Amino acid sequence: MALKGTDKLTRKMLRMSPEVRAQAQADVLKGAQDVAETARQLVPSRTGRLKRSIGAVAGDAPATRATQALRGGGRKGLKTDPDAIYATAYAGDDDAYYAGWVENGTAPHKQGGKFKGTHHPGTAAQPFFFPAFRVNKKRAKSRITRGIKKAIKKAAQG
């Protein structure tokens, strides 16, 4: 999830207590999990493989063929900053490599392989991933803000 101002927030969080950082990481992960859950509800399903491939993790998506991914938290320097706070919601894996084709559709094209030379009319887009992000974006941002404020107040009280 790309939220505005997260780079600045990440820099501030690096200077804060471990309790506040832990709360922020938990809230960012919960936001990514909400996106994944909504995407599972919206995804068109024939075999269920694509639905089963949707998930969320703290950090980067698994090293599979995840074809759709949203990273929430700081974006700059994630690979070089081991203390960065972020989570990733993803869709697609080695079995459901077609997540991007379902989300964005395909253009008409000539086929290769077994049906070489035949014309494929393309497929209509059936968006499920980015609508799930848009539905959950405001709620995730509010949860993160509330959680950080609560953790800061708790840390300040002792």
Side-chain angles (χ1 to χ4, degrees), residues 2-136:
L3 302 175
K4 238 180 182 178
T6 53
D7 299 331
K8 187 175 178 182
L9 174 63
T10 300
R11 285 193 304 273
K12 286 182 181 180
M13 293 303 294
L14 290 173
R15 296 188 302 255
M16 293 185 186
S17 72
E19 295 84 16
V20 176
R21 287 181 50 73
Q23 181 65 46
Q25 181 63 54
D27 291 337
V28 168
L29 178 58
K30 178 64 175 144
Q33 289 169 337
D34 288 348
V35 169
E37 183 58 37
T38 304
R40 276 188 218 102
Q41 293 170 1
L42 296 175
V43 68
S45 180
R46 262 193 295 176
T47 64
R49 288 187 298 194
L50 183 54
K51 189 178 217 174
R52 287 189 300 272
S53 77
I54 298 171
V57 293
D60 291 320
T64 62
R65 291 177 61 180
T67 57
Q68 298 288 316
L70 287 169
R71 182 177 294 140
R75 298 182 93 178
K76 293 180 183 170
L78 289 178
K79 299 290 183 190
T80 58
D81 184 4
D83 295 325
I85 297 171
Y86 67 102
T88 305
Y90 60 90
D93 59 17
D94 291 337
D95 290 331
Y97 55 87
Y98 47 84
W101 299 338
V102 173
E103 176 79 15
N104 303 311
T106 60
H109 58 279
K110 296 274 187 202
Q111 299 190 103
K114 185 175 181 182
F115 303 102
K116 186 173 184 161
T118 60
H119 184 266
H120 188 284
T123 57
Q126 299 177 56
F128 63 95
F129 197 73
F130 288 98
F133 166 69
R134 286 191 296 273
V135 165
N136 287 287

